[in-house]
Amino acid sequence: MDYSKLNDIIKSSKNILIISHINPDGDTLGSMCGLYSAILDNYKKKCDMMSISKIPDVYSFLPHLNEVKNIEDYDKSREYDLVINVDVASLDRICDAKTLFDKAKFRVNIDHHKTNSAYGDLNFINPDASSTGEVLFNCFSEMGWRVNLDAAICLYTAILTDTGSFRFDNTKPLTFDTAGKLVEIGVQPSDIYKKVYESDSKTLVMFQAHCISKAKFLDNDKIAYTIVYKKDMEKFSAGDDCMEGLTEKLRAIVTTRIAFVAKEMKNGGTKVSMRSKFADVAEICEIFGGGGHKFAAGCTIKAPVEEAARKVLEEISKHEL
Ligand SMILES: [Mn+2]
C-alpha cells in the first residue's frame, strides 16, 4: 500500500471531502472525524465531512462531529481535488454522494470489509483489521503523522464500537496494540465506554424490550429473530438509532447460533440485520445483495417484511449453524 502517495495527495490537495457510509456507526464516524483531526493537526487544513443519513446522538461527543454536514447541504456539481471514503464497503453505501466521489480528481478508499472491491484510485483495505479506525491509525503511523488527542479519541471510538468493546472475533493482537497506543496518547477507556455504552435513551430500552418480547425461536432455539413493523417504531416514537444493538441482544442468548432482525421500511421493503456465532452471515446477506463481515452482516430485501423473513429463514436453513 502506497502510504507516501496518500501523504502526497493529501498534502497537495486544496479541497478534500471525507465521506462516511449511510446509517453511520462508530467506525465510519470515528474514522471520518479522526482523519479530519489528523489532517487539521498535521497540515493545518480543513476538510469537508459528509454524512449520508442521520447521525445517532450517542456519537455527539466525537471531536469535530459538529462540523459534519448532511449530503443534502452539498452541491453535487462541486469538484473536489480529493475524496476519501472511510468504512465504505461499496459505493451504493454513499448513495447520491457517488456523483461527488466519481467526479473528484482523486479518489481514496480506506476500509476493512472483505467485500470491498477496491474501487478507489488508491485503496487501503485490510480485511484483517478490526475496523477502519485501525486501518487509519496504521496509515497515520506509516505516513509519520502526529496523532493528537482529538484524533486518538475518534480512532479509539471506531475500534471500540466495531469490536463491540474488544469482544468480537475481529479483535486481534494488533487491535489491542493500536488501542494501547491511543490510550498512551491520552484516551481514557472508561470515559469513552460510558459515553458509548451507558447513554441509551429510555425510548431505546423500552422499544428493544418490546421487540425482544416478540422474538421467535426456531430449530431448538438456534435461530432467533424478530420482526419490527413500522407501527412498532411509531408506537414508541423510535428512530433508526433505536435499532442499535438489537440483533446482538438476540445473539447473546446462549442457545442462539444465528440471529436476525427484519425491519419494515417506509417504502415497503425490508432491512435485515444478521449476527451469528459460527455461520458466515456475510455469505447469506450477499445472496440478497448485501454484505458485511462473517459474524455481522446486513441486506435490504425488496419484499414485505414477513415474506422477507421467510426468505431469510429459507436461506439460513441451507447453512450449517
Ligand atoms: Mn467498520
Side-chain angles (χ1 to χ4, degrees):
M1 289 191 242
D2 198 344
Y3 298 102
S4 68
K5 173 97 190 191
L6 178 63
N7 186 41
D8 291 348
I9 200 86
I10 290 174
K11 203 167 158 184
S12 64
S13 295
K14 289 206 170 60
N15 48 68
I16 303 173
L17 170 67
I18 310 169
I19 307 180
S20 53
H21 64 69
I22 189 167
N23 303 323
D25 58 12
D27 190 24
T28 198
L29 294 171
S31 294
M32 178 165 68
C33 295
L35 180 57
Y36 175 97
S37 298
I39 294 174
L40 183 64
D41 183 34
N42 286 273
Y43 290 118
K44 308 285 166 259
K45 236 194 284 207
K46 283 195 168 187
C47 309
D48 286 342
M49 289 188 279
M50 183 196 280
S51 69
I52 308 295
S53 52
K54 194 189 173 296
I55 295 173
D57 294 337
V58 60
Y59 299 116
S60 57
F61 71 91
L62 286 174
H64 301 294
L65 192 82
N66 56 352
E67 284 153 80
V68 177
K69 282 192 288 180
N70 189 269
I71 183 168
E72 282 155 26
D73 301 322
Y74 278 88
D75 169 11
K76 308 292 183 304
S77 66
R78 187 161 172 201
E79 198 176 297
Y80 281 91
D81 290 338
L82 172 62
V83 174
I84 306 174
N85 282 0
V86 285
D87 203 42
V88 177
S90 56
L91 285 172
D92 59 323
R93 301 275 289 152
I94 59 168
C95 306
D96 291 345
K98 188 178 176 295
T99 323
L100 276 167
F101 184 83
D102 288 341
K103 235 199 315 255
K105 291 198 187 99
F106 201 84
R107 296 163 287 251
V108 172
N109 171 15
I110 304 176
D111 192 24
H112 69 120
H113 293 90
K114 68 169 183 181
T115 50
N116 193 306
S117 63
Y119 54 77
D121 298 317
L122 204 53
N123 302 283
F124 299 88
I125 304 157
N126 180 3
D128 294 324
S130 66
S131 53
T132 300
E134 198 177 301
V135 177
L136 257 182
F137 184 81
N138 182 56
C139 289
F140 294 170
S141 308
E142 293 283 346
M143 295 190 292
W145 283 17
R146 254 191 329 271
V147 182
N148 65 12
L149 184 57
D150 277 356
I153 287 170
C154 294
L155 297 190
Y156 186 89
T157 304
I159 296 169
L160 183 77
T161 53
D162 250 27
T163 58
S165 319
F166 308 101
R167 284 176 302 154
F168 301 156
D169 184 60
N170 58 354
T171 309
K172 308 266 170 65
L174 186 66
T175 315
F176 288 109
D177 218 52
T178 308
K181 284 177 183 148
L182 296 170
V183 172
E184 244 164 48
I185 292 166
V187 172
Q188 306 238 322
S190 63
D191 180 47
I192 310 286
Y193 180 85
K194 273 183 214 133
K195 282 173 174 150
V196 175
Y197 295 106
E198 292 178 355
S199 63
D200 285 348
S201 65
K202 184 177 156 194
T203 305
L204 179 144
V205 175
M206 300 313 283
F207 168 72
Q208 293 201 352
H210 170 76
C211 297
I212 291 166
S213 74
K214 297 193 309 172
K216 294 195 171 68
F217 298 90
L218 297 168
D219 195 5
N220 291 321
D221 298 344
K222 280 189 209 143
I223 302 167
Y225 73 100
T226 189
I227 293 178
V228 178
Y229 295 93
K230 272 187 289 189
K231 62 176 193 310
D232 294 315
M233 309 282 295
E234 283 156 15
K235 187 179 162 198
F236 286 84
S237 305
D240 279 338
D241 52 326
C242 288
M243 300 295 294
E244 194 62 42
L246 178 58
T247 324
E248 281 88 350
K249 290 202 174 82
L250 291 175
R251 179 177 58 182
I253 299 166
V254 65
T255 48
T256 301
R257 301 287 187 91
I258 195 161
F260 72 91
V261 173
K263 177 176 164 270
E264 186 178 33
M265 298 198 302
K266 286 194 186 86
N267 64 10
T270 303
K271 194 170 176 266
V272 177
S273 152
M274 210 179 289
R275 302 288 182 269
S276 78
K277 285 181 184 138
F278 302 100
D280 188 339
V281 287
E283 230 170 57
I284 298 175
C285 289
E286 272 167 39
I287 290 164
F288 299 105
H293 306 285
K294 188 174 178 193
F295 301 125
C299 59
T300 304
I301 301 176
K302 278 195 194 116
V305 71
E306 278 165 40
E307 188 187 327
R310 260 198 311 278
K311 285 182 175 174
V312 169
L313 285 168
E314 208 179 290
E315 212 44 61
I316 289 174
S317 70
K318 296 177 193 163
H319 283 73
E320 191 75 48
L321 298 185

